[in-house]
């Protein structure tokens, strides 16, 4: 499951608990990763067993045995108007290098207020510059009914040449974006149209691809699934993903 860390006062004798994307609280009774450092609001993916059920100040809670907790990159969306107002800052920073996602290279799904993107990208073997990923909200083209979004990847020059990926490794990463700013005031839901620049398997060409869904405000309904849609085998791999920024 996906969620965020909430720190507890020292007097409680516990370090933190986790709020899942559907709002449920995970109260950690047994922690098999006690030395992991966490911070308030940290985005995480967790694997656990449920030991019991309860009520956390009126919220559904679960007593759990925590097996793994993996840090996830969490970023805010960037508005197109902000980019237009400061082209010097954003012009080269965003990039438009290709990635692979949308099930062929990873999964895309909405849980709670988050858009979660699992993606693949090429990086040179050995030491290479940090790649960045951003989500641009085109608030110029968007309407009250439809949010136009685009993933922007900056490989910092760390890309293979055409038709030749020798010396490069296909790496995997995952990132969450807070979608709450894209919801018009007073609205409860909005259709999402996401696009990105994608490479083919041999890096010989790229094309624009699209993904659509509906973002629903959590007060209106139970959040869309906060369970990672990959297989259990793939889930274990998430603890060794490559960190972007």
């Amino acid at each position: 499951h996906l969620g965020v860390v909430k720190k507890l006062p020292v007097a409680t004798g516990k370090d933190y608990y986790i709020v899942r994307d559907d709002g449920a609280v995970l109260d950690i009774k047994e922690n098999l990763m006690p030395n992991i450092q966490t911070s308030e609001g940290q985005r995480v993916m967790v694997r656990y067993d449920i030991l019991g059920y309860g009520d956390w100040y009126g919220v559904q809670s679960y007593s759990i045995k925590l097996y793994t907790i993996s840090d996830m990159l969490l970023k805010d969306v960037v508005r197109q108007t902000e980019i237009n107002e400061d082209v010097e800052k954003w012009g080269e920073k965003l990039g438009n290098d290709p990635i692979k996602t949308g099930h062929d290279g990873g999964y895309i799904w909405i849980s709670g207020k988050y858009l979660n993107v699992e993606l693949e990208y090429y990086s040179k073997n050995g030491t290479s510059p940090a790649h960045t990923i951003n989500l641009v909200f085109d608030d110029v083209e968007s309407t009250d009914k439809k949010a136009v979004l685009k993933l922007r990847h900056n490989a910092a020059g760390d890309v293979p040449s055409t038709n030749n990926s020798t010396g490069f490794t296909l790496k995997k990463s995952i990132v969450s974006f807070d979608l709450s700013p894209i919801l018009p005031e007073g609205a409860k839901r909005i259709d999402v149209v996401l696009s990105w620049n994608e490479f083919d398997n041999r890096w010989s060409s790229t094309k624009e691809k699209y993904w659509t869904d509906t973002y629903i405000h959590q007060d209106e309904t139970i959040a869309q699934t906060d369970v990672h849609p990959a297989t259990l085998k793939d889930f274990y791999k998430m603890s060794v993903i490559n960190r972007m920024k």
Side-chain angles (χ1 to χ4, degrees), residues 34 77 108 142 208 243:
V77 298
I108 304 172
S142 296
E208 190 166 42
R243 181 77 172 181

Side-chain angles (χ1 to χ4, degrees), residues 17 31 38 57 63-64 96 98-99 102 108 152 154 160 162 165 167 189 198 203 205 212 221 226 231 236:
Y17 63 95
N31 189 352
T38 58
Y57 301 101
S63 299
I64 67 165
N96 199 33
I99 57 173
I108 304 172
R152 298 286 296 272
N154 188 341
T162 303
S165 58
R189 61 175 62 206
E198 181 160 308
W203 198 262
S205 64
T212 61
T221 183
D226 62 328
T231 63
Y236 290 133

Side-chain angles (χ1 to χ4, degrees), residues 1-2 16 18 26 28 30-34 36 38 44-49 64-71 232 235-240:
H1 287 85
L2 306 181
Y16 64 95
I18 296 165
L26 302 180
I28 304 168
E30 297 183 41
N31 189 352
L32 299 188
M33 301 188 72
I36 294 293
T38 58
V44 293
M45 180 181 290
V46 294
R47 185 170 66 90
Y48 60 89
D49 279 341
I64 67 165
K65 180 177 183 179
L66 181 66
Y67 290 105
T68 62
I69 178 168
S70 302
D71 181 53
L232 188 58
F235 182 91
Y236 290 133
K237 294 179 183 177
M238 302 314 294
S239 62
V240 292

Side-chain angles (χ1 to χ4, degrees), residues 38-103:
T38 58
S39 58
E40 176 70 22
Q42 180 183 355
R43 184 80 169 138
V44 293
M45 180 181 290
V46 294
R47 185 170 66 90
Y48 60 89
D49 279 341
I50 294 175
L51 304 177
Y53 302 86
D55 182 279
W56 187 286
Y57 301 101
V59 176
Q60 174 68 56
S61 68
Y62 302 93
S63 299
I64 67 165
K65 180 177 183 179
L66 181 66
Y67 290 105
T68 62
I69 178 168
S70 302
D71 181 53
M72 285 181 61
L73 178 62
L74 173 60
K75 303 192 75 171
D76 295 325
V77 298
V78 181
R79 291 179 176 271
Q80 185 63 51
T81 50
E82 182 182 348
I83 298 170
N84 295 344
E85 291 169 359
D86 197 344
V87 176
E88 185 176 347
K89 172 185 175 181
W90 291 105
E92 296 183 2
K93 182 177 180 180
L94 293 172
N96 199 33
D97 294 310
I99 57 173
K100 188 177 282 289
T101 185
H103 193 59

Side-chain angles (χ1 to χ4, degrees), residues 9-15:
V10 175
T12 64
K14 296 182 179 180
D15 186 20

Side-chain angles (χ1 to χ4, degrees), residues 12-240:
T12 64
K14 296 182 179 180
D15 186 20
Y16 64 95
Y17 63 95
I18 296 165
V19 179
R20 291 193 328 200
D21 287 354
D22 63 359
V25 169
L26 302 180
D27 183 15
I28 304 168
K29 298 297 186 182
E30 297 183 41
N31 189 352
L32 299 188
M33 301 188 72
N35 297 322
I36 294 293
Q37 298 296 312
T38 58
S39 58
E40 176 70 22
Q42 180 183 355
R43 184 80 169 138
V44 293
M45 180 181 290
V46 294
R47 185 170 66 90
Y48 60 89
D49 279 341
I50 294 175
L51 304 177
Y53 302 86
D55 182 279
W56 187 286
Y57 301 101
V59 176
Q60 174 68 56
S61 68
Y62 302 93
S63 299
I64 67 165
K65 180 177 183 179
L66 181 66
Y67 290 105
T68 62
I69 178 168
S70 302
D71 181 53
M72 285 181 61
L73 178 62
L74 173 60
K75 303 192 75 171
D76 295 325
V77 298
V78 181
R79 291 179 176 271
Q80 185 63 51
T81 50
E82 182 182 348
I83 298 170
N84 295 344
E85 291 169 359
D86 197 344
V87 176
E88 185 176 347
K89 172 185 175 181
W90 291 105
E92 296 183 2
K93 182 177 180 180
L94 293 172
N96 199 33
D97 294 310
I99 57 173
K100 188 177 282 289
T101 185
H103 193 59
D104 285 339
Y107 293 87
I108 304 172
W109 75 106
I110 294 174
S111 57
K113 65 178 183 177
Y114 301 103
L115 173 70
N116 309 292
V117 181
E118 185 185 6
L119 57 95
E120 292 180 342
Y121 62 97
Y122 278 103
S123 183
K124 194 171 184 178
N125 298 335
T127 303
S128 59
H131 292 221
T132 60
I133 188 76
N134 284 284
L135 181 66
V136 174
F137 169 44
D138 192 339
D139 50 348
V140 178
E141 295 295 326
S142 296
T143 68
D144 288 345
K145 301 294 184 182
K146 181 180 73 174
V148 179
L149 305 171
K150 184 163 187 175
L151 287 166
R152 298 286 296 272
H153 169 220
N154 188 341
D158 183 29
V159 294
S161 58
T162 303
N163 288 318
N164 184 9
S165 58
T166 302
F168 284 77
T169 299
L170 190 61
K171 296 184 178 180
K172 187 183 292 290
S173 190
I174 187 169
V175 57
S176 289
F177 298 97
D178 183 351
L179 288 183
S180 54
I182 76 171
L183 198 64
E185 185 176 356
K188 293 294 185 181
R189 61 175 62 206
I190 190 169
D191 291 335
V192 172
V193 179
L194 175 69
S195 65
W196 65 93
N197 192 23
E198 181 160 308
F199 59 84
D200 69 8
N201 290 330
R202 293 194 300 176
W203 198 262
S204 60
S205 64
T206 63
K207 59 183 176 181
E208 190 166 42
K209 295 194 70 175
Y210 294 87
W211 176 89
T212 61
D213 202 348
T214 300
Y215 167 47
I216 304 172
H217 191 267
Q218 196 164 328
D219 289 346
E220 182 177 291
T221 183
I222 295 297
Q224 290 105 317
T225 178
D226 62 328
V227 179
H228 188 281
T231 63
L232 188 58
K233 180 180 179 181
D234 289 335
F235 182 91
Y236 290 133
K237 294 179 183 177
M238 302 314 294
S239 62
V240 292

